[in-house]
Each structure stands twice: as structure tokens, then as C-alpha cells.
């Protein structure tokens, strides 16, 4: 453990209807601007389920020039993956290709998941160097398969690996052990995104940092449609108390929560 931990915010992706009705583009622009003023390094503005719609909004965010890194996600196995990748890399600072590791999710079979992902990664890397991979259901995968697919994608040029505890079943002790073993075998930054099904999202995020994760997925107040994420505010304070730099300004961070309460 050592050095800065990057906090990347997924509030816009994960709280599309957090107040019961969609927030306006103007309110979302204000949220992105305040995230930038608070020193949050990166925000996800393109959801893999709404790429075309979110790209339109991302152009407006880019025009504002807030300085925050804009990232997005594309399903590697989606029917329009190549077209969505091309649109995403045109406007975003970085893109993650998403692949579910659950055996119940398409594509079926370990070999097929690897081949589909490598094909999408090869295409994306031909368009941009700032491409990473996000593994949904990563904490449910067998350690051997997880290591294999991570190693294959990093050798193919993935610049960042993000592991998702999609069903929120991880617990801090086994998670830390798993991540330490994985991180020891690869040479690109590993990020972790926790879900709060069991109330362990912040604890699991802390375990990931102790294991060597270089970044954490968070959202304002931990909000997410359905089960929560790790809270941006709580994670930032936890890291600050343990003298781990994040670049976040606590006074500016405090202004973000109330911005979710209105949709204008």
C-alpha cells in the first residue's frame, strides 16, 4: 500500500432515477462540475446499457471543460460493440470493456468469454490506447480463471483492470487475500468496485486498498438504483484518516449530496 488512490465516481451511471424521476441534463452537468471542484479524478458518464444516449450527454460535458476524466463502459459482447466503441473513444478520455464472469451470463464458457473479450479489446486498442477491462461478477469467478483472463487481457494491452463485486457477496478478509494474489501477478493498475448488499461496500473497498488496489469505484452517498455502492464521502474520509491521498477536498465534497435531492 502506498501512493494516491484514485476515486472514480459512478453516480450518473448508477442513479439515473435516484429521486424517482430522471434528473435533467443541466443538473447532471452541475454534478459533474462539482465532482471536479471536489477533486474527484474521474466520473463514468457512459453506461454500457445506454451508450448512444449517454454519448450525446457526454458531448455537453466535454464542452464544459471541467477537467475531470470522463470515462465510459461498453459491453464487449454486445451486438453493436464495435460501433459503440468507436463512438465512445471519439469523445471520452478512457473506455472500459465490460465482461461478466458469471457462468450464467453470456457469452457461455470460459474460452468464449476470453475470445470475445480479446477481439473487442483488439478493436478498441486500434482506436485508442486508453482502454481498460471491467470484470462483472469477478468475486464469484474461480481464482484460476480470473487470473487467466486478467493476464490474457493485460498482455493484449488493457491499461487498467476493474473488478466488480456485482452481487455484493464479498467479505473483506477473503477479498484482500484474493486481490493480493492477483495484483502480485500483473503489472497494470487494479481497481475495485463494491456493492453494498451486506453493508460491506466501504469495508471491502478498504480491504482492496490494503491489497494494493490503485482505485475505487464510488458514488455520492453510496447511491445506486437498487442496492448501494461504496459511499464517495465515507471512502474519502476513511482514506484521509489513514493518510492515503485521494486529492479530494472534503469541503467541496459536502456540497454534492444535496445535489441529488432535486432533478431540475
Amino acid at each position: 500500500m502506498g501512493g494516491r488512490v484514485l476515486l472514480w465516481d459512478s453516480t450518473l451511471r448508477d442513479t439515473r432515477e435516484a429521486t424517482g424521476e430522471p434528473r435533467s441534463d443541466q443538473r447532471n452537468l452541475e454534478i459533474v462540475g462539482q465532482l471536479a471542484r471536489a477533486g474527484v479524478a474521474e466520473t463514468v458518464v457512459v453506461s454500457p446499457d445506454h451508450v448512444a444516449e449517454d454519448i450525446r450527454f457526454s458531448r455537453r460535458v466535454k464542452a464544459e471543460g471541467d477537467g475531470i476524466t470522463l470515462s465510459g463502459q461498453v459491453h464487449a459482447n454486445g451486438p453493436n460493440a464495435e460501433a459503440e466503441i468507436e463512438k465512445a473513444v471519439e469523445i471520452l478520455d478512457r473506455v472500459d470493456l465490460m465482461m461478466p464472469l458469471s457462468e450464467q451470463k453470456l457469452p457461455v464458457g470460459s474460452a468464449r468469454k476470453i475470445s470475445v473479450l480479446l477481439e473487442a479489446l483488439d478493436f478498441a486498442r486500434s482506436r485508442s490506447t486508453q482502454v481498460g477491462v471491467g470484470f462483472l461478477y469477478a468475486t464469484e469467478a474461480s481464482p484460476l480463471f480470473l487470473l487467466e483472463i486478467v493476464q490474457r487481457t493485460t498482455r493484449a494491452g488493457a491499461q487498467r483492470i476493474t473488478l466488480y463485486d456485482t452481487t455484493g457477496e464479498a467479505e473483506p478478509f477473503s477479498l484482500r487475500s484474493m486481490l493480493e494474489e492477483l495484483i502480485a501477478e500483473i503489472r497494470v493498475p487494479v481497481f475495485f468496485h463494491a456493492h453494498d448488499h451486506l453493508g460491506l461496500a466501504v469495508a471491502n473497498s478498504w480491504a482492496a486498498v490494503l491489497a494494493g488496489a490503485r482505485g475505487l469505484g464510488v458514488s455520492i452517498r453510496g447511491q445506486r438504483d437498487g442496492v448501494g455502492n461504496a459511499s464517495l464521502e465515507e471512502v474519502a474520509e476513511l482514506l484521509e484518516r489513514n493518510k492515503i491521498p485521494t486529492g479530494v477536498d472534503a469541503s467541496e465534497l459536502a456540497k454534492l449530496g444535496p445535489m441529488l435531492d432535486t432533478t431540475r
Side-chain angles (χ1 to χ4, degrees):
M1 183 177 65
R4 180 182 179 185
V5 171
L6 187 150
L7 301 181
W8 59 275
D9 177 82
S10 61
T11 299
L12 299 193
R13 183 198 68 181
D14 286 340
T15 61
R16 303 180 75 87
E17 298 186 2
T19 59
E21 57 181 303
R23 285 188 302 270
S24 68
D25 278 1
Q26 182 57 41
R27 171 54 71 184
N28 283 332
L29 285 169
E30 292 168 0
I31 290 172
V32 174
Q34 187 58 34
L35 285 167
R37 286 187 290 276
V40 176
E42 180 177 333
T43 186
V44 183
V45 290
V46 173
S47 160
D49 296 324
H50 304 275
V51 173
E53 174 187 348
D54 290 349
I55 287 292
R56 174 191 59 79
F57 170 71
S58 299
R59 295 184 187 281
R60 291 192 62 187
V61 180
K62 196 78 169 180
E64 294 289 317
D66 290 314
I68 192 171
T69 296
L70 303 180
S71 64
Q73 301 162 339
V74 174
H75 289 302
N77 61 321
N80 303 309
E82 291 191 354
E84 291 178 343
I85 289 168
E86 286 200 303
K87 291 177 182 177
V89 300
E90 177 187 349
I91 192 68
L92 300 176
D93 299 308
R94 59 176 317 281
V95 174
D96 279 337
L97 304 178
M98 308 299 284
M99 175 57 65
L101 299 189
S102 169
E103 294 178 357
Q104 282 71 50
K105 300 293 183 179
L106 295 175
V108 174
S110 300
R112 183 62 178 156
K113 289 181 188 295
I114 291 173
S115 65
V116 168
L117 180 55
L118 290 179
E119 182 178 349
L121 181 58
D122 182 64
F123 179 83
R125 289 275 294 159
S126 72
R127 269 63 179 175
S128 171
T129 60
Q130 297 305 309
V131 180
V133 174
F135 291 110
L136 302 168
Y137 303 93
T139 54
E140 298 177 33
S142 77
L144 286 177
F145 174 54
L146 179 60
L147 177 60
E148 178 186 5
I149 196 169
V150 167
Q151 288 180 323
R152 294 282 296 275
T153 53
T154 55
R155 285 199 294 266
Q159 298 297 299
R160 187 164 100 187
I161 298 296
T162 304
L163 305 179
Y164 289 78
D165 182 26
T166 307
T167 56
E169 295 180 2
E171 55 83 19
F173 299 101
S174 60
L175 176 69
R176 179 178 178 179
S177 177
M178 181 271 283
L179 288 176
E180 285 176 337
E181 293 178 9
L182 180 72
I183 290 170
E185 297 295 329
I186 61 175
R187 296 293 178 266
V188 303
V190 172
F191 282 38
F192 178 73
H193 183 94
H195 284 172
D196 207 35
H197 294 65
L198 301 177
L200 292 173
V202 173
N204 283 332
S205 297
W206 175 239
V209 171
L210 295 177
R214 303 311 312 148
L216 298 171
V218 294
S219 63
I220 301 167
R221 292 178 174 170
Q223 286 196 13
R224 179 176 183 266
D225 294 339
V227 177
N229 294 321
S231 161
L232 166 59
E233 296 88 341
E234 292 176 3
V235 168
E237 182 174 354
L238 176 62
L239 296 178
E240 175 67 24
R241 289 189 179 195
N242 286 276
K243 298 182 171 30
I244 298 174
T246 62
V248 168
D249 181 333
S251 63
E252 293 293 338
L253 203 62
K255 301 174 184 178
L256 283 162
M259 298 179 78
L260 296 187
D261 295 333
T262 59
T263 61
R264 68 169 178 83

